[in-house]
């Protein structure tokens, strides 16, 4: 087998640990220089391949690549760019293969969610047909935790740890103030379609530390009356309550709760979050003093409080992707297979992309408590291992996490033909 | 000197490290059992003293008290309850002294901001007049960093570290996404009157890691045109920008920018934060894709990313307060005196409460860059030492910070007379 280069790209929303997967890919590839030439990365994800804007990772020092393991975000840039179907835009796939061929790329490592698994599969299929076979391996990533087969998706465990920690800390804060001040704390979390991240808020309370938490899941239609009764009951019992609300919560009209048609004094419509909406409702219905927070990017970028389990898995999946390629595999995604809950044990198995692409893993109904506002023991047993362990990044003398910014030097173009992105 | 008990209370908004001061007070008092009897804490702050609702901290184990050092929030409860002036409500002060006398309390440790320094002073003065002298010592605390004399206020350094870390992490995230998605990230931080916390956002960028950050200080009147030009310039140069906005920013009409008179679809007025207001303006004026976050309580409760300098100082001030009492001092506040910037060196000196009460330390104008959107080297030299060092709390096997919830057993009442809070 002639020695081929590898291409690696990051796709979609970035996470606290997607660079740990990149680190796993690049470090493992560097250990197999006989089989794998250089690892090129796509500048801003797949766009970098389409526009022949490749990054030469071999120009990065060993130390810089190692630092990816503890650096959040996408070190090569990511993008929100979904390739259309083969029927709709075959030229995009052909262009990818053209660029790969020009740069002698035989391995395609695509680090992303469901859409990129699908792209990965199609590239592999079309390349085969076009007579330039590419081993396409998908490396799972998504804070939404919605990929099938794999026990979890790298990125999710760290968001879960951040949210569980933050809800615990804010609950302690509100408990201190409740006598004369704030009684309700509302925090908005990500998860437009599934309540995985919202569920993680429930971990803040456990057998040792009992905290009143009410969760609003996107899976449960918002019932204002029932919600207020639940909030009021918690405040009566504990003196305060923390509310974890998913950005995706909808009312019985099917509309996002966040979508309140807010207008400013000039009548301009304003976009807000769901946390202030819920907080305002609590003020109207119960007259309780509240505070609210919207974690937004902080939750998925918070490498400083990443889950060690998550970091380890992210790295291991990157490594496994290269090992799968070396073993001659194609159209697969290394997946985490859970073999035990407590203590958590897992291994990696390669799943065929056909079984991964276009399938969304939703949160089981059995994970939501009967009243719709909490998590079940089954959910807890699933979630708990994913936030286990700490993996603090190194800090500078100045007291800040010491993250790496790569040089990201370009690879000289060979095609030099323009390609217009749709 | 007959052995007297001590009273300790937490006042106002709690912080990540106010319990470290409590730990310093209690552990030091326990080391001087010949001079100090029991340490009673006010349940929910000074309200606990007024209503004779005292907590017997001697019932807590050595381990539990030690754990206060790494537990955020106010372990005995705090309150927002400002005692009126002596002229307006003398009976409150008399009641305090009555309760102190009933429980043989000779030391009053009050842990709070400017208002509680004032209360502390008055209690000491009135007690003297009433023939039941109390040694009143104020322990500084406030995330607002607005007390005079002391180099900084415990609580602030940890908020500063949280904000600097979060802005760094979110900036890395946005940088990855900017090519096709979010270009502007807006984060709202605390600080209604002074821009200390907003300034800390500027630390995210330093000599090694260059990040585009625009700060909106409460000290600088919001100029929409100038702001948009600055945002646009940063996006042009870097591809993205992070905006740190203080909740206290005002427009040239003198009104809070957050106060936009928002109304929902039913015409009900809604309270929002300033982050979505600024984000919406950016959408209107520049048409850039944005995300926004509101850290709210997360920033002051984030013990998991506390500054070691801050924790050390909080503990040392609690300890120094007891030592000052043992040395016979009265009406003082132990303060941090900076003796060197780099490396940071500090010592503790007792400041007379007369010089502390009712004086607010504002951020010097020389700390804000000429354009009004950044921090100066002078500001950086002041702030940097305050976020130095990490002091991670212990974590449970489950992966969550292991904070302590005290038993908070009540002291038997001796007066048993009702007292109505105003």
């Amino acid at each position: 087998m002639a020695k081929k280069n590898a291409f690696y790209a990051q796709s979609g929303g970035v996470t606290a640990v997607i660079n740990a997967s990149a680190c796993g890919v690049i470090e493992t590839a560097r250990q197999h220089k006989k089989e794998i030439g250089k690892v090129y990365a796509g500048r801003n994800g797949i766009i970098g391949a389409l526009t022949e804007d490749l990054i030469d990772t071999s120009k990065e020092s060993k130390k810089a690549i190692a630092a990816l393991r503890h650096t959040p975000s996408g070190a090569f840039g990511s993008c929100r760019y979904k390739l259309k179907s083969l029927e709709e835009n075959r030229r995009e796939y052909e262009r990818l293969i053209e660029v790969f061929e020009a740069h002698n790329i035989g391995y395609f490592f695509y680090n992303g969610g469901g859409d990129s698994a699908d792209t990965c599969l199609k590239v592999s299929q079309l390349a085969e047909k076009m007579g330039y076979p590419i081993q396409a391996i998908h490396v799972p990533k998504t804070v939404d935790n919605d990929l099938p087969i794999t026990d979890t998706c790298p990125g999710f465990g760290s968001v879960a740890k951040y949210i569980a920690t933050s809800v615990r800390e804010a609950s302690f804060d509100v408990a201190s103030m409740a006598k004369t001040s704030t009684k309700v704390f509302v925090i908005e979390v990500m998860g437009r379609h599934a309540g995985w991240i919202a569920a993680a808020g429930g971990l803040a309370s456990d057998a040792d530390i009992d905290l009143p938490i009410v969760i609003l899941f996107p899976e449960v239609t918002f019932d204002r009356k029932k919600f207020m009764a639940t909030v009021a009951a918690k405040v009566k019992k504990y003196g305060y309550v923390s509310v974890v609300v998913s950005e995706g919560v909808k009312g019985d009209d099917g509309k996002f709760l966040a979508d309140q048609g807010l207008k400013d004094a000039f009548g301009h419509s304003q976009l807000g979050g769901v946390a202030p909406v819920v907080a305002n409702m609590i003020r109207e219905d119960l007259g309780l003093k509240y505070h609210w927070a919207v974690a937004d990017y902080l939750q998925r970028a918070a490498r400083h409080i990443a889950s060690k389990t998550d970091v380890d898995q992210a790295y291991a999946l990157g490594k496994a992707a290269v090992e799968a390629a070396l073993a001659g595999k194609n159209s697969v995604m290394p997946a985490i297979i859970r073999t035990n809950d407590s203590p958590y044990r897992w291994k990696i198995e390669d799943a065929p992309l056909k079984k991964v692409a276009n399938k969304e893993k939703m949160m089981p109904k059995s994970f939501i408590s009967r009243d719709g506002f909490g998590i079940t023991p089954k959910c807890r047993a699933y979630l708990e291992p994913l936030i286990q362990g700490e993996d603090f990044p190194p800090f500078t003398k100045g007291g800040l996490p010491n993250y790496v910014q790569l040089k990201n030097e370009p690879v000289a173009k060979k095609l030099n033909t323009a390609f217009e992105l749709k």
Side-chain angles (χ1 to χ4, degrees), chain A:
Chain A
M1 184 172 86
K3 185 160 131 180
K4 299 264 187 180
N5 296 317
F7 175 77
Y8 168 82
Q10 302 177 320
S11 177
V14 295
T15 78
V17 304
I18 184 171
N19 284 334
S21 290
C23 180
V25 166
I26 298 169
E27 288 190 342
T28 310
R30 285 185 177 189
Q31 284 159 19
H32 295 89
K33 290 199 171 155
K34 276 186 199 162
E35 297 92 348
I36 301 176
K38 290 184 173 182
V39 178
Y40 296 145
R43 193 183 305 276
N44 302 307
I46 201 72
I47 286 181
L50 291 167
T51 58
E52 206 194 352
D53 192 356
L54 308 180
I55 290 164
D56 187 350
T57 72
S58 75
K59 300 286 175 70
E60 307 291 343
S61 69
K62 196 175 164 182
K63 198 178 147 195
I65 295 300
L68 286 178
R69 188 175 169 126
H70 64 248
T71 297
S73 82
F76 311 106
S78 183
C79 66
R80 294 207 180 278
Y81 186 86
K82 191 183 170 176
L83 271 77
K84 296 198 177 58
S85 70
L86 263 174
E87 295 69 36
E88 279 180 280
N89 203 347
R90 192 184 177 94
R91 61 184 271 284
E92 284 186 336
Y93 296 90
E94 288 173 350
R95 169 69 176 184
L96 281 182
I97 293 158
E98 190 187 6
V99 170
F100 291 166
E101 193 166 5
H103 292 274
N104 191 34
I105 289 163
Y107 310 99
F108 174 35
F109 300 108
Y110 202 19
N111 204 169
D115 286 345
S116 53
D118 184 53
T119 300
C120 212
L121 177 62
K122 283 181 187 140
V123 166
S124 152
Q125 289 169 337
L126 192 66
E128 183 112 18
K129 274 192 208 156
M130 290 172 65
Y132 183 80
I134 306 248
Q135 284 175 253
I137 318 279
H138 186 248
V139 188
K141 168 244 60 163
T142 156
V143 298
D144 296 333
N145 203 37
D146 58 359
L147 293 175
I149 301 176
T150 189
D151 184 47
T152 181
C153 301
F156 170 69
S158 293
V159 175
K161 190 182 183 90
Y162 172 90
I163 293 297
T165 298
S166 297
V167 171
R168 173 168 287 192
E169 291 178 334
S171 297
F172 268 68
D173 189 305
V174 182
S176 317
M177 304 304 297
K179 178 77 180 177
T180 57
S181 180
T182 306
K183 288 183 176 56
V184 184
F185 176 72
V186 181
I187 179 169
E188 173 176 336
V189 303
M190 287 179 160
R192 201 152 271 257
H193 304 295
W196 292 111
I197 296 176
L203 295 178
S205 177
D206 61 22
D208 296 317
I209 296 185
D210 179 31
L211 304 170
I213 295 166
V214 174
I215 304 173
L216 293 172
F217 294 98
E219 287 86 352
V220 181
T221 301
F222 181 68
D223 179 333
R224 184 160 173 166
K225 219 168 164 183
K226 205 175 147 198
F227 170 66
M228 292 303 165
T230 307
V231 165
K234 294 277 189 197
V235 172
K236 195 175 173 195
K237 183 177 170 191
Y238 292 86
Y240 73 100
V241 69
S242 290
V243 177
V244 182
V245 53
S246 164
E247 58 177 346
V249 172
K250 289 176 183 169
D252 53 16
D253 56 359
K255 283 203 281 189
F256 287 120
L257 217 58
D259 205 7
Q260 289 286 291
L262 283 188
K263 298 213 189 291
D264 69 11
F266 306 98
H268 300 146
S269 72
Q270 303 288 304
L271 302 172
V274 67
V277 170
V278 170
N280 274 302
M281 284 180 179
I282 289 168
R283 180 181 56 120
E284 283 173 10
D285 294 5
L286 304 175
L288 296 172
K289 189 164 189 294
Y290 62 81
H291 262 245
W292 57 268
V294 177
D296 193 63
Y297 281 173
L298 304 190
Q299 68 201 286
R300 73 180 200 192
R303 180 62 183 82
H304 73 271
I305 185 74
S307 152
K308 184 175 189 302
T309 302
D310 194 31
V311 176
D312 288 348
Q313 291 181 338
Y315 184 91
L317 289 165
K319 182 170 182 274
V322 175
E323 286 166 352
L326 290 169
K329 294 189 185 178
N330 190 2
S331 290
V332 295
M333 174 188 88
I336 303 290
I337 308 298
R338 181 184 299 221
T339 57
N340 197 53
D341 269 344
S342 179
Y344 184 44
R345 292 213 182 85
W346 53 276
K347 58 180 179 179
I348 292 180
E349 279 179 12
D350 295 325
L353 279 184
K354 276 183 189 164
K355 290 193 176 174
V356 175
N358 302 312
K359 285 187 186 103
E360 210 173 334
K361 179 174 75 178
M362 301 305 291
M363 197 164 72
K365 284 208 168 150
S366 61
F367 278 23
I368 299 176
S369 61
R370 198 167 290 182
D371 69 359
F373 298 116
I375 59 173
T376 60
K378 210 171 157 183
C379 180
R380 186 175 287 277
Y382 168 72
L383 288 175
E384 266 185 344
L386 307 182
I387 69 165
Q388 278 169 7
E390 292 68 53
D391 189 61
F392 301 113
F395 279 70
T396 64
K397 273 191 188 172
L400 280 163
N402 198 2
Y403 299 140
V404 68
Q405 289 178 312
L406 300 179
K407 292 182 289 181
N408 284 346
E409 291 187 22
V411 176
K413 295 200 179 195
K414 299 206 169 172
L415 294 172
N416 244 329
T417 49
F419 183 84
E420 201 189 333
L421 298 169
K422 289 282 163 184

